[in-house]
């Protein structure tokens, strides 16, 4: 398949609907779609609750995806943005169209903000951030946030993969000047060296600097909760200092000092980790400590010098050690039940169903009820849970994917072909997008209904694409040097 055309051209595309009859009315989008080459047929009645078996395979006669900049003026006004869970797509109502493409280095990071996709990265030893209009790909603004000493590990714009809203927060670790002299600390303890970082709050629409502040000391991790930043530093005594700060002005909301030292090797923080969500802050080093994200209160602190793995979910969290097994705790830190299983790495979830917790025993998935921990089901599989949506679990293996009912653990359907899964399945809550192959062996994107696995459509993916991602609800393709936004 050839490469995409420029935004000034359009390529004819023929779509053959797999149902052989008009589609149901489309669901609302969160961004403005182009008009397809031909007017679609009038919407027919919604499909019955028990659809008949499909007899046709989706056929898409294309040389490349469509870039539809010239059709924007004929499209209707966009719907108000919907709230989309991290890692999930905004609702789709059919095969997506390539809306625009820009040159973006593979090393650059991309996040979604209100009305924009924001690209950030180090270029010529300076950290640069650029905002692009989510509808047209037009460059809205560029901001140079200063020099960086090489590729500093914490320099970036933290995000969870969800839309960050109207404010972009960026952290820059500048070069340490010979002779030190830095004295703008914002925390009540002496910095162990001259490391420091500058945080900038940028307007997503204009790139204007809304606020700027600094933190000093040996930084180990930075993460974002809402419009705030959680910062992990290491004090001169080797103990962790964790604080939550308002992203706009650096006002400290709470502060916590760890009771046991972190691992240090020649001044480098080793084996420490910071993970956050709206409810919890997890700090791991020699031990695992869980804090309340709202006020910084310590909920759990495991004994030091034991093998610890901590896990976070929306309403519960777990701690696990090789000697004591695992314990699942509620929102207040109260132990709910014990289990030797671990939390699986779920990359996208809408939280449904909220009273079922899925755990991984290694080769076996286990569903437990909340809050009592009663075992509901067991499912033996070599595949790992990656998506939880609408009461379904999407399990990913190297050769395909499978959908399992979250309440019963029963297998509902699986991808029919053995295909190397070079990107993880994505969903909008109704449709699953997965990697596929055409009869000639070319890579494709196939869409199947989440409820029963029926094929909806197939779309070829051009050569050179290396990842297919959901960023703030947007469907984004990345190659070595380009970003392609689909709609």
């Amino acid at each position: 398949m050839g490469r995409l055309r420029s935004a000034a051209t359009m390529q004819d595309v023929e779509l053959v609907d797999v149902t052989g009859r008009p589609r149901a009315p489309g669901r609302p989008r969160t961004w403005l779609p182009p008009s397809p080459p031909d007017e679609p047929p009038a919407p027919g009645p919604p499909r019955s609750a028990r659809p008949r078996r499909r007899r046709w395979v989706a056929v898409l006669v294309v040389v490349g995806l469509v870039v539809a900049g010239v059709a924007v003026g004929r499209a209707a006004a966009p719907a108000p943005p919907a709230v989309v869970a991290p890692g999930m797509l905004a609702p789709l109502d059919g095969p997506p169209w390539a809306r625009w493409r820009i040159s973006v280095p593979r090393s650059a990071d991309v996040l979604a903000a209100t009305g924009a996709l924001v690209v950030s990265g180090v270029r010529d030893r300076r950290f640069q951030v650029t905002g692009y209009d989510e509808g047209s790909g037009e460059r809205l603004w560029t901001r140079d946030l200063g020099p960086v000493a090489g590729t500093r590990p914490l320099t970036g714009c933290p995000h969870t993969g969800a839309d960050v809203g109207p404010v972009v927060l960026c952290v820059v670790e500048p070069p340490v000047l010979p002779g030190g002299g830095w004295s703008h600390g914002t925390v009540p303890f002496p910095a162990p060296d001259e490391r420091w970082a500058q945080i900038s709050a940028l307007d997503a629409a204009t790139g204007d600097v809304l606020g700027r502040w600094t933190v000093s000391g040996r930084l180990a991790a930075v993460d974002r909760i809402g419009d705030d930043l959680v910062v992990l530093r290491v004090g001169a005594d080797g103990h962790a200092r964790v604080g939550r700060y308002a992203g706009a002005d650096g006002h400290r909301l709470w502060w916590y000092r760890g009771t046991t030292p972190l691992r240090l090797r020649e001044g480098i923080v080793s084996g420490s980790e910071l993970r956050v969500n709206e409810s919890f802050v997890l700090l791991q080093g020699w031990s695992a400590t869980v804090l309340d994200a709202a006020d910084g209160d310590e909920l759990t602190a495991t004994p030091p010098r034991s093998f610890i793995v901590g896990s976070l979910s929306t309403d519960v969290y777990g701690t696990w050690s090789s000697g004591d097994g695992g314990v699942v705790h509620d929102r207040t830190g109260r132990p709910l039940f014990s289990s030797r299983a671990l939390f699986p790495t779920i990359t996208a979830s809408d939280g449904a169903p909220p009273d079922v917790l899925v755990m991984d025993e290694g080769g076996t998935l286990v569903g437990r009820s909340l809050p009592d921990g009663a075992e509901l089901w067991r499912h033996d599989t070599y595949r790992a849970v990656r998506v939880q949506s609408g009461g379904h679990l999407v399990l990913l293996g190297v050769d395909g994917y499978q959908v399992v009912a979250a309440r019963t653990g029963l297998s509902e359907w699986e991808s029919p072909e053995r295909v190397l899964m070079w990107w993880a399945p994505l969903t909008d809550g109704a449709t699953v997008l997965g990697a596929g192959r055409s009869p000639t062996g070319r890579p494709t994107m196939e869409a199947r209904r989440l409820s029963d696995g029926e094929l909806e459509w197939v779309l070829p993916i051009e050569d050179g694409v290396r990842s297919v991602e959901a960023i703030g609800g947007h469907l984004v393709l990345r190659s070595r040097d380009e970003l392609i936004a689909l709609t």
Side-chain angles (χ1 to χ4, degrees), residues 59-341:
V59 178
L60 190 59
V61 184
V62 300
V63 177
L65 301 174
V66 176
V67 177
V70 297
V72 175
R74 294 185 285 127
V83 177
V84 180
M88 294 189 67
L89 293 169
L92 300 169
D93 59 5
W97 306 91
R99 189 168 184 78
W100 49 267
R101 67 193 303 158
I102 56 174
S103 296
V104 171
R106 187 71 180 98
S107 59
D109 187 33
V110 180
L111 64 84
T114 302
L117 289 180
V118 179
V119 177
S120 62
V122 177
R123 182 176 181 181
D124 298 329
R125 293 186 176 272
R126 301 185 69 85
F127 188 67
Q128 298 182 352
V129 187
T130 304
Y132 295 89
D133 183 271
E134 70 173 19
S136 65
E138 176 188 2
R139 188 171 68 179
L140 302 174
W141 51 267
T142 296
R143 179 68 59 177
D144 187 324
L145 296 182
V148 178
T151 304
R152 301 298 303 168
L154 299 184
T155 293
C157 303
H159 63 97
T160 63
D163 191 309
V164 300
V167 179
V168 178
L169 301 177
C170 297
V171 181
V172 176
E173 292 180 287
V176 177
L177 300 177
W182 179 252
S183 61
H184 295 85
T186 60
V187 291
F189 59 89
D193 56 25
E194 296 302 322
R195 297 282 175 85
W196 62 283
Q198 176 177 272
I199 291 86
S200 299
L202 307 179
D203 186 301
T206 64
D208 293 342
V209 177
L210 304 176
R212 181 167 284 167
W213 48 283
T214 59
V215 291
S216 64
R218 185 187 291 121
L219 272 67
V222 180
D223 216 329
R224 177 169 177 161
I225 303 178
D227 288 333
D228 302 333
L229 287 183
V230 177
V231 181
L232 167 62
R233 282 163 293 206
V234 184
D237 57 3
H239 288 243
R241 270 73 168 173
V242 184
R244 180 170 178 171
Y245 300 85
D249 56 12
H251 172 69
R252 193 177 72 196
L253 305 176
W254 55 257
W255 180 79
Y256 171 85
R257 177 185 180 274
T259 56
T260 57
L262 296 176
R263 301 176 191 177
L264 295 177
R265 185 179 67 251
E266 297 179 356
I268 300 175
V269 180
S270 175
S272 65
E273 182 183 5
L274 180 72
R275 276 185 279 162
V276 305
N277 62 21
E278 294 289 341
S279 302
F280 308 112
V281 173
L282 169 65
L283 169 65
Q284 287 188 185
W286 285 106
S287 62
T289 301
V290 180
L291 310 176
D292 190 306
D295 53 22
D297 286 350
E298 182 181 287
L299 300 177
T300 297
T302 59
R305 300 181 185 275
S306 60
F307 179 66
I308 297 295
V309 176
S311 302
L312 300 178
S313 184
T314 304
D315 297 311
V316 297
Y317 66 91
T319 56
W320 188 91
S321 70
S322 56
D324 302 326
V327 179
V328 176
H329 306 256
D330 68 7
R331 182 67 179 78
T332 66
R334 178 174 62 93
L336 295 176
F337 58 89
S338 298
S339 172
R340 299 197 66 83

Side-chain angles (χ1 to χ4, degrees), residues 48-66:
S48 64
R50 186 168 181 168
R52 62 184 176 86
R53 185 75 178 173
R54 300 183 188 276
R55 295 185 174 87
W56 301 97
V57 176
V59 178
L60 190 59
V61 184
V62 300
V63 177
L65 301 174
V66 176

